Structures are given as structure tokens and as C-alpha cells.
Amino acid sequence: MNTNVKAIAAPQTSERSNLLTAAFAVLMGVGIIFVTGHVQAAALHDAAHDVRHATGFPCH
Amino acid sequence: MFSRLVTSAVFAGAVAGLLVALLQLVFVQPVLLHAELYETGQLVHFGGLPNTATPELPGFDLMRNGLSVLFTMMVYCGYALILVAVMSTADDALVTPRMGMIWGLAGFVAAQLAPAMSLPPEVPGVAAADVQLRQFWWFATVAMAAGAMWILAFRFNMYGIAAAALLLMLPHIIGAPQPDAFAGPVPTELGALFAARSLGIGLAAWIILGAFCAYFWNKEGEAA
């Protein structure tokens, strides 16, 4: 009986942790897009200028 | 799981980003450099004699284009993290390189086509509203369109379709921040060509990215 409960409980926990992992990766991705594509600091803007235009990000 | 996700996303983003950067250098950069001749006033569109449509453009600038390649790779690593993360929650049968192209297509709609409908890719020098307002609208629109793509893919029923349609239309009904006056010095021919090239390469970029994301996600799964 106990084993059964564990067998059912285990995948749920792992599914939840997988979802959390995926959510964290999405946040990291958004962070990278924000820094490379949107932060207006002069050095970043100048270095990424052509990419921002070519990729359709709002620039300037 | 986390290292599999990050590793496959970085590989996919780097390979796709490198290919996309080369495509952009060939197909988008010449239009951008041409437009900059108008932005800087070296060419003037109105009030004089017609300009040649094929002026001499600045040559290959290693520093400038090298930075573009680097930043394109980083941008697509960011997109790859998001795409692989969503792929990791889906059924294995849906994550193959061939299906990856469809994932990429959905990513293109969300990240490029949807915002472009009200904020078309800007050629340098165009008049535009405040950049922070446009960025806010851009992120909101991309998030809503991405949600719509997810609903269409995974909750395909009457309510889902209606919700997706609403999410796709709403940002454009509300409207993107627009400039008070048009003052762009660049000929409309160049502006249109730039937007079309940017979207066309964007489509290719996302299809390549989707295929590589699925490929590396599976490959890293075998290795684990």
C-alpha cells in the first residue's frame, strides 16, 4: 500500500519540479532578450544597434 | 533537467544565431546602411534632385558586424531558452526537428509578426514614440501572442480559439504608441524593403531555431 502511494506521488513531484525548471528557464530567456535587445545603456545600445533594428525590437 | 535544458538551448541558440546573423548581414544590413545615409543627411530624400537607388555603401566593418553576430547569437540563445522550456513540457512526439519547424513558426508569429503589425521593424531614422512605451507594448504584445500560440497548440477548442483570437487582436485594438508627427528622412521604398526583409529573415530564423531546439533537446536527452 505504502509503495503504491509513493509510486503515484513521485511523478507528481518531478512533474512540478520540471515545470518550475521550465519557468525559470523562460525567465532567464526573457532576461537575456531584455538585456541584449532592450536596455538603453549607451554601450549596449550601440553594440546591439543593427541587431535590434534587424530583429524588429523598438530601438532609440 | 535544468542542465539538459540550458545546454540544448545554448547550442540551438548559438548555431541558429550564427546562421541568422549571416543571413541578416547579406539581406538586411545593406538596406540598413543605405537608410543610414538618409538618417545622417548624406542623402536627402525631398526637395532636391532624385537620388540614385544604388549609392555606394560603407564597406564591411569587422568590429560593427562582429558585435552584430555576437548579439544575434545571444538574442537567439534567449529565445531558445524560452522555446526549449516550453518544448520540455510537451509530449515527446511533438518535439522532433520537423515539428520543431512548426514550433519555430509559432515563435515567429509571437515574437516578430504580432508586434510588427503595429510597430513594424524600424529602419534607422524613422519617427517613433517614446522608446520605453514602445518596449512595454512590445513585451505585452509578444507575451499575449505567445499565450495565443500555446492555447491554439494545446487547448484547441471553441473557447481556446476565441481566447487566442482575442489575445492576438487586443494589442492592436488598444493600439501601439505612435509618434505625434512623421519626420522620417528615409524614402518609403527603403522603409518597406527593410520591414519586409526583417520579417522574412525573422521567419527563416525562427524555423531554423525551432528545428535546432528540438534536435538538441533530444540529443541532450540521449546523452543524459
Side-chain angles (χ1 to χ4, degrees), chain B residues 140-156:
Chain B
T141 302
V142 171
M144 286 164 85
M149 291 299 108
W150 187 87
I151 291 170
L152 288 177
F154 297 108
R155 296 288 184 273
F156 191 75

Side-chain angles (χ1 to χ4, degrees), chain B residues 1-94:
Chain B
M1 153 94 180
F2 186 65
S3 69
R4 176 186 176 190
L5 211 163
V6 172
T7 312
S8 45
V10 168
F11 274 124
V15 177
L18 182 63
L19 290 172
V20 174
L22 296 177
L23 286 172
Q24 283 179 340
L25 282 179
V26 174
F27 292 105
V28 186
Q29 191 69 7
V31 189
L32 187 144
L33 292 173
H34 191 166
E36 280 187 344
L37 296 178
Y38 288 92
E39 186 190 24
T40 56
Q42 282 174 266
L43 288 177
V44 179
H45 183 34
F46 289 112
L49 293 169
N51 289 318
T52 169
T54 50
E56 198 173 321
L57 298 175
F60 187 87
D61 182 336
L62 188 65
M63 181 70 174
R64 178 176 182 170
N65 293 332
L67 280 171
S68 291
V69 172
L70 191 70
F71 271 86
T72 307
M73 290 169 77
M74 287 196 284
V75 165
Y76 281 91
C77 281
Y79 281 142
L81 274 169
I82 300 169
L83 197 56
V84 175
V86 184
M87 281 178 172
S88 76
T89 66
D91 199 84
D92 282 347
L94 295 176

Side-chain angles (χ1 to χ4, degrees), chain A residues 18-19 21-22 24-26 28-30 32-34 36 38 40 44 47-51 53-60, chain B residues 1-2 5 24 28-29 32 36 64 67-68 71-72 74-75 78-79 81 85 89 112 122 124 131 134-135 138-139 194 198:
Chain A
N18 282 351
L19 270 182
T21 309
F24 184 66
V26 168
M28 272 177 59
V30 172
I32 293 174
I33 299 298
F34 183 71
T36 53
H38 298 268
Q40 288 295 311
L44 267 177
H49 174 267
D50 296 355
V51 179
H53 277 286
T55 315
F57 294 144
C59 197
H60 304 290
Chain B
M1 153 94 180
F2 186 65
L5 211 163
Q24 283 179 340
V28 186
Q29 191 69 7
L32 187 144
E36 280 187 344
R64 178 176 182 170
L67 280 171
S68 291
F71 271 86
T72 307
M74 287 196 284
V75 165
Y79 281 142
L81 274 169
T89 66
Q112 292 218 265
E122 302 159 8
V131 67
R134 283 183 293 137
Q135 288 175 337
W138 187 93
F139 272 105
F194 185 83
S198 165

Side-chain angles (χ1 to χ4, degrees), chain B residues 97-181:
Chain B
R98 279 177 77 192
M99 290 298 288
M101 294 196 285
I102 297 177
W103 286 81
L105 197 59
F108 167 74
V109 172
Q112 292 218 265
L113 192 59
M117 281 205 20
S118 286
L119 288 181
E122 302 159 8
V123 79
V126 294
D130 177 64
V131 67
Q132 285 186 344
L133 287 178
R134 283 183 293 137
Q135 288 175 337
F136 178 79
W137 186 92
W138 187 93
F139 272 105
T141 302
V142 171
M144 286 164 85
M149 291 299 108
W150 187 87
I151 291 170
L152 288 177
F154 297 108
R155 296 288 184 273
F156 191 75
N157 58 45
M158 215 171 64
Y159 299 111
I161 294 168
L166 191 66
L167 282 172
L168 287 170
M169 288 188 291
L170 201 57
H172 305 286
I173 294 170
I174 294 170
Q178 298 293 342
D180 295 328

